[in-house]
């Protein structure tokens, strides 16, 4: 996907998540999610944290040639270690604790993603950035990983709240293409799953039945493991 397409998918999915978070009761903000130990509030804190890496990355010196793709960003190194995960949990909880209440947090999230969106739209297509893990990437490839975060955790939040998924078509297609590779993405349509169901299955949020596993095997479908 090109720079403009990825940024548009990011904007649409963030807007959908923001709409879903507006008007939650305090009880809903405190519901548990499958991403233990995070509550709804904590999980949105995590989404804020991962989006808020962008402004500082764009302020930093631009690296030279991109070395890592979005798919390679998810390689299983120390970024998924217990120590790093502990820091990830703490950062999210700290971020979630800052706003006075849920209404203020919903507005904070909106301001966070809109700032990142505005900054990304002002960048040229070949812009590179360096991640906090030291990876030199095209900005579009890094923003694609942010689409993954917003889309997949949007499913977690929808499930925690007992709501229908609000996954947008642009984000669903972008994440599916990343997970499968552009050349294999059309094969997923033969499964006749909605995009939200596909993402749940591919990320382990919903187990495959024996029949589904056999069908996936017959179709030769392999998807990327996200860490």
């Amino acid at each position: 996907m090109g720079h403009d397409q990825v940024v548009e998918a990011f904007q649409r999915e963030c807007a959908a998540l923001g709409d879903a978070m507006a008007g939650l009761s305090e009880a809903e903000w405190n519901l548990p999610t499958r991403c233990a130990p995070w509550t709804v509030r904590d999980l949105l804190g995590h989404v804020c944290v991962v989006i808020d890496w962008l402004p500082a990355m764009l302020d930093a010196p631009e690296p030279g040639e991109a070395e890592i793709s979005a798919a390679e960003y998810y390689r299983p190194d120390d970024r998924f270690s217990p120590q790093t995960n502990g820091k990830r949990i703490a950062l999210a909880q700290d971020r979630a604790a800052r706003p006075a209440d849920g209404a203020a947090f919903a507005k904070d999230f909106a301001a966070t993603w809109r700032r990142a969106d505005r900054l990304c739209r002002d960048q040229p297509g070949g812009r590179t950035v360096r991640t906090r893990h030291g990876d030199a990437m095209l900005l579009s490839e890094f923003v694609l990983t942010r689409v993954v975060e917003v889309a997949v955790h949007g499913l977690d939040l929808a499930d925690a709240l007992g709501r229908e998924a609000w996954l947008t078509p642009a984000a669903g297609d972008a994440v599916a293409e990343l997970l499968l590779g552009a050349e294999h993405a059309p094969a997923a349509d033969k499964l006749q799953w909605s995009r939200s169901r596909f993402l749940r299955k591919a990320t382990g949020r919903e187990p495959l039945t024996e029949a589904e596993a056999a069908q996936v095997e017959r179709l030769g479908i392999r998807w990327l493991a996200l860490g």
Side-chain angles (χ1 to χ4, degrees):
M1 298 183 73
H3 176 87
D4 291 344
Q5 289 176 296
V6 172
V7 173
E8 185 67 17
F10 174 77
Q11 185 273 330
R12 290 177 180 271
E13 193 64 16
C14 285
L17 175 54
D19 288 345
M21 295 296 99
L24 292 185
S25 68
E26 286 304 311
E28 287 176 312
W29 281 108
N30 291 316
L31 287 171
T33 70
R34 63 165 57 91
C35 302
W38 287 334
T39 62
V40 166
R41 187 179 183 116
D42 295 333
L43 185 50
L44 189 66
H46 170 67
V47 175
C48 284
V49 168
V50 301
I51 291 173
D52 227 8
W53 295 122
L54 275 160
M57 290 167 62
L58 292 170
D59 280 343
E62 183 175 359
E65 185 177 350
E67 300 169 351
I68 298 296
S69 68
E72 292 166 325
Y73 176 84
Y74 291 102
R75 63 191 184 277
D77 58 16
D78 62 350
R79 72 194 64 198
F80 298 110
S81 69
Q83 182 179 9
T84 302
N85 197 49
K87 292 178 181 177
R88 188 177 290 118
I89 290 169
L91 281 171
Q93 292 173 330
D94 178 69
R95 186 69 170 77
R98 294 181 197 173
D101 56 29
F105 196 15
K107 292 179 181 178
D108 182 22
F109 169 68
T112 298
W113 77 256
R114 285 172 180 158
R115 179 190 180 204
D117 177 62
R118 182 176 65 252
L119 292 172
C120 290
R121 287 179 186 276
D122 288 342
Q123 303 301 314
R127 177 71 155 88
T128 57
V129 293
R130 190 171 299 282
T131 73
R132 67 192 182 98
H133 303 293
D135 300 323
M137 301 178 68
L138 284 172
L139 173 62
S140 59
E141 290 288 290
F142 184 75
V143 173
L144 179 53
T145 69
R146 304 308 90 179
V147 175
V148 172
E149 295 279 350
V150 180
V152 172
H153 288 313
L155 295 177
D156 296 329
L157 289 164
D159 291 345
L161 294 165
R163 297 188 182 183
E164 289 294 320
W166 49 77
L167 181 71
T168 61
D173 289 347
V175 180
E177 184 175 312
L178 171 63
L179 291 172
L180 294 166
E183 67 276 19
H184 299 301
D189 294 334
K190 296 179 181 179
L191 295 169
Q192 298 184 323
W193 294 343
S194 66
R195 276 291 183 251
S196 58
R197 190 178 185 199
F198 171 79
L199 295 190
R200 285 191 176 98
K201 296 283 187 181
T203 60
R205 283 161 169 79
E206 183 178 320
L208 291 169
T209 65
E210 288 187 14
E212 289 169 342
Q215 185 180 18
V216 167
E217 184 67 26
R218 283 197 304 273
L219 292 171
I221 294 174
R222 297 289 184 274
W223 43 62
L224 175 70
L226 300 180

